[in-house]
């Protein structure tokens, strides 16, 4: 099996990601702009917060994420996913519209503790 076929056929089912503190806000810009400067990442982080606020407000499932985005310190965000292939993960549009990422990630649950 070649790499492309493997990436399309290898499935993750019912995966969960747990992030503590401000990890989501720190990790997303890093993944989206690996070669960006510190200033560019800081700007991207602020844009991300604003975009998440807009995207989350239109999706009731993500309401806990909004609470986390506004006050992440000393909190834990847990996101559950449906079935995703490795290809789906590799091609999440992290530099595109936040709505596109949220829609294509097949998120099934969001909790904040």
């Amino acid at each position: 099996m070649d790499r492309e076929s493997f990436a399309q056929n290898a499935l993750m089912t019912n995966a969960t990601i747990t992030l503590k503190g401000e990890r989501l806000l720190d990790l997303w810009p890093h993944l989206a702009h690996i070669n960006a400067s510190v200033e560019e990442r800081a700007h991207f982080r602020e844009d991300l917060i604003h975009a998440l606020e807009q995207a989350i407000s239109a999706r009731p499932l993500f309401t806990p994420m909004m609470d986390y985005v506004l006050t992440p310190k000393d909190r834990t965000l847990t996101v559950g996913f449906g079935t995703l292939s490795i290809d789906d993960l590799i091609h999440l549009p992290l530099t595109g519209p936040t709505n596109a990422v949220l829609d294509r990630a097949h998120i099934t649950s969001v909790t904040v503790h």
Side-chain angles (χ1 to χ4, degrees), residues 24-36:
L24 173 68
L25 301 176
D26 292 336
L27 183 61
W28 193 323
H30 177 72
L31 292 173
H33 296 286
I34 292 173
N35 295 320

Side-chain angles (χ1 to χ4, degrees), residues 89-100:
L89 287 175
I90 291 169
H91 292 101
L92 282 176
L94 294 174
T95 58
T98 305
N99 290 339

Side-chain angles (χ1 to χ4, degrees), residues 42-62:
H43 181 70
F44 183 80
R45 186 174 196 251
E46 293 302 316
D47 289 347
L48 174 63
I49 290 170
H50 180 69
L52 281 172
E53 288 173 342
Q54 290 181 329
I56 290 168
S57 66
R59 295 168 174 80
L61 173 67
F62 300 121

Side-chain angles (χ1 to χ4, degrees), residues 9-87:
N9 292 306
L11 300 177
M12 295 185 301
T13 309
N14 300 321
T16 302
I17 293 178
T18 300
L19 302 163
K20 297 185 186 290
E22 297 187 24
R23 301 274 193 233
L24 173 68
L25 301 176
D26 292 336
L27 183 61
W28 193 323
H30 177 72
L31 292 173
H33 296 286
I34 292 173
N35 295 320
S37 69
V38 173
E39 293 81 21
E40 289 170 325
R41 285 188 188 172
H43 181 70
F44 183 80
R45 186 174 196 251
E46 293 302 316
D47 289 347
L48 174 63
I49 290 170
H50 180 69
L52 281 172
E53 288 173 342
Q54 290 181 329
I56 290 168
S57 66
R59 295 168 174 80
L61 173 67
F62 300 121
T63 302
M65 190 183 292
M66 178 63 145
D67 184 44
Y68 171 82
V69 167
L70 294 174
T71 55
K73 187 174 169 96
D74 298 324
R75 303 179 80 195
T76 300
L77 173 70
T78 302
V79 180
F81 299 87
T83 302
L84 289 169
S85 71
I86 293 173
D87 191 57

